[in-house]
Amino acid sequence: MDSSETTKAQSNDKQFYQNVIVMRHGDRADNFEPLWVSTAARPWDPHIVEEGRVRAFCTGRRLRANLGFPIDRVFVSPFLRCIQTAYEVVSALCSVDDDPTVMSSDAVVSLDPSKVKVSIEYGLCEMLNREAIRHNMAPKDGDFGFVTSELEALLPAGTVDSSVKQVYDQLPQWEETVAGARERYAQVIKALADKYPFENLLLVTHGEGVGVSVSAFLKDVTVYEVDYCAYTELRRPISGDNESFTAGDFEVLTNPVQSGISYLPASATNAGDNE
């Protein structure tokens, strides 16, 4: 039974647990190649290094093997590091022969693109402020140069669903506040989940977005570190059908010891601030 048949069977039972995985991109080049920025045409949009590609592919294989449910749809930030991460993860999810010796998409012989559908979501983009992108790295004219059709062409052939209506059909304005960006991430996670209540989603985004996927749904915690390709697992009960459904609250299933996401109770960090 493929993922669409599984989802249909679950929704027909009128009871379903929707799962949403929120994942950070792989290792970005400007953190490993110091001179890259000085010659880059798009210094605000680094690619991922080879280690990042391997990490992303292996994370995709781990998701495929260990989640216990299929990923039906993938939504991706338009930044290149997220597009390339999604390429590797989707290749692992869709690989026909799940060969444990394969470490990246380069060695994948055959894909089944019917397993997942992938779409660009501008609302999952990096925080557009100086906290995340140094001011001298941002485009002077404010145009980050993202073209949806060009981004879709960088994803595995046959997997793209360009018919999806985006939550954000363009980038937020430059110099959004940190609080505003966090509200955006929480809104987009919820909006995408509500749009596809009987499907399991993977959202490939940035460190702050992954942090919000914990702090927005697990109250009174402060996230202080998110590793490359770390991911949160969210789950909520859904009842009804596509025409009329009721959703429960998201439960955070992430284990901070194993997930690569480090967080503490907010009371602990506040106490540290007062020392």
Side-chain angles (χ1 to χ4, degrees):
M1 181 180 290
D2 66 21
S3 63
S4 61
E5 290 171 337
T6 301
T7 300
K8 186 181 294 183
Q10 290 167 321
S11 62
N12 287 341
D13 289 338
K14 306 299 182 184
Q15 185 67 48
F16 175 62
Y17 275 95
Q18 182 186 33
N19 302 276
V20 178
I21 306 299
V22 187
M23 176 180 169
R24 189 187 180 194
H25 57 77
D27 312 44
R28 51 187 289 172
D30 52 347
N31 285 344
F32 294 87
E33 302 169 8
L35 298 180
W36 175 84
V37 169
S38 63
T39 59
R42 295 166 55 89
W44 60 85
D45 196 20
H47 59 279
I48 59 174
V49 296
E50 183 61 23
E51 183 180 20
R53 294 181 65 234
V54 170
R55 191 191 307 276
F57 185 87
C58 291
T59 301
R61 178 189 289 139
R62 190 162 65 250
L63 292 174
R64 175 175 174 167
N66 298 336
L67 283 180
F69 54 82
I71 296 293
D72 301 302
R73 287 188 181 270
V74 179
F75 292 92
V76 191
S77 158
F79 280 79
L80 181 58
R81 53 192 179 275
C82 292
I83 299 290
Q84 292 177 326
T85 298
Y87 189 102
E88 295 299 321
V89 173
V90 169
S91 295
L93 293 175
C94 295
S95 175
V96 173
D97 300 312
D98 188 20
D99 183 346
T101 65
V102 172
M103 301 301 287
S104 78
S105 62
D106 291 342
V108 173
V109 176
S110 180
L111 294 180
D112 179 0
S114 69
K115 287 182 176 292
V116 299
K117 292 303 177 188
V118 189
S119 302
I120 307 298
E121 174 51 60
Y122 286 87
L124 293 173
C125 74
E126 179 66 278
M127 290 196 300
L128 295 190
N129 57 37
R130 302 184 197 200
E131 295 285 333
I133 303 173
R134 289 191 294 273
H135 186 61
N136 62 337
M137 299 299 176
K140 299 293 188 291
D141 60 1
D143 182 4
F144 282 78
F146 295 126
V147 178
T148 300
S149 60
E150 294 177 359
L151 299 172
E152 291 174 342
L154 300 176
L155 294 165
T159 64
V160 173
D161 184 355
S162 57
S163 69
V164 168
K165 182 175 174 55
Q166 296 160 320
V167 179
Y168 277 67
D169 60 6
Q170 58 186 355
L171 292 177
Q173 291 296 309
W174 172 253
E175 292 288 24
E176 64 178 339
T177 65
V178 172
R182 289 172 177 168
E183 289 177 8
R184 164 169 61 84
Y185 287 128
Q187 174 205 357
V188 171
I189 292 169
K190 182 70 162 50
L192 291 172
D194 286 347
K195 193 171 184 178
Y196 301 97
F198 292 101
E199 298 186 50
N200 298 314
L201 311 182
L202 168 63
L203 315 183
V204 181
T205 183
H206 304 264
E208 194 68 33
V210 177
V212 168
S213 71
V214 174
S215 61
F217 303 107
L218 188 62
K219 301 303 181 185
D220 300 320
V221 301
T222 297
V223 177
Y224 61 89
E225 187 172 5
V226 178
D227 294 342
Y228 290 123
C229 291
Y231 60 86
T232 309
E233 182 178 348
L234 306 174
R235 182 180 70 176
R236 66 176 181 171
I238 303 285
S239 59
D241 55 39
N242 281 318
E243 299 301 321
S244 177
F245 70 91
T246 301
D249 294 333
F250 273 116
E251 175 186 8
V252 179
L253 302 182
T254 302
N255 181 333
V257 175
Q258 299 174 340
S259 68
I261 304 169
S262 302
Y263 57 87
L264 291 170
S267 57
T269 57
N270 291 339
D273 292 342
N274 293 330
E275 289 179 357

